[in-house]
Amino acid sequence: MQVAAVQYSAQKLFQSAWSDLRQSLTADPAEAMKLRMKSREQSAVAAKLLQVADENDKHVLDMVA
């Protein structure tokens, strides 16, 4: 239910995080650090989005059952 609704947003965040991580390989050290930090933050947000949506879906299913 909600997991499907946020999956697209989470996927985009993970793709952006991966792109930043790849760019960090060729960036100067200061920029590389910023890109890696941004990548880590985006991954964490995407994972949390999916976790919360999954928990909400479980809660709704428990209420219905």
Side-chain angles (χ1 to χ4, degrees):
M1 290 186 277
Q2 289 185 14
V3 171
V6 299
Q7 187 173 5
Y8 179 78
S9 296
Q11 181 180 358
K12 286 297 185 187
L13 279 169
F14 279 127
Q15 287 174 345
S16 180
W18 183 246
S19 175
D20 287 344
L21 199 55
R22 278 193 316 256
Q23 288 178 22
S24 76
L25 296 174
T26 57
D28 64 78
E31 184 65 20
M33 181 179 282
K34 289 179 188 177
L35 287 166
R36 286 192 302 269
M37 288 174 52
K38 182 179 169 192
S39 173
R40 184 178 301 155
E41 291 169 359
Q42 289 172 332
S43 293
V45 168
K48 188 66 175 177
L49 265 175
L50 291 175
Q51 178 188 0
V52 169
D54 185 52
E55 290 170 1
N56 287 344
D57 280 353
K58 286 178 184 175
H59 180 68
V60 168
L61 290 173
D62 287 345
M63 288 175 45
V64 172

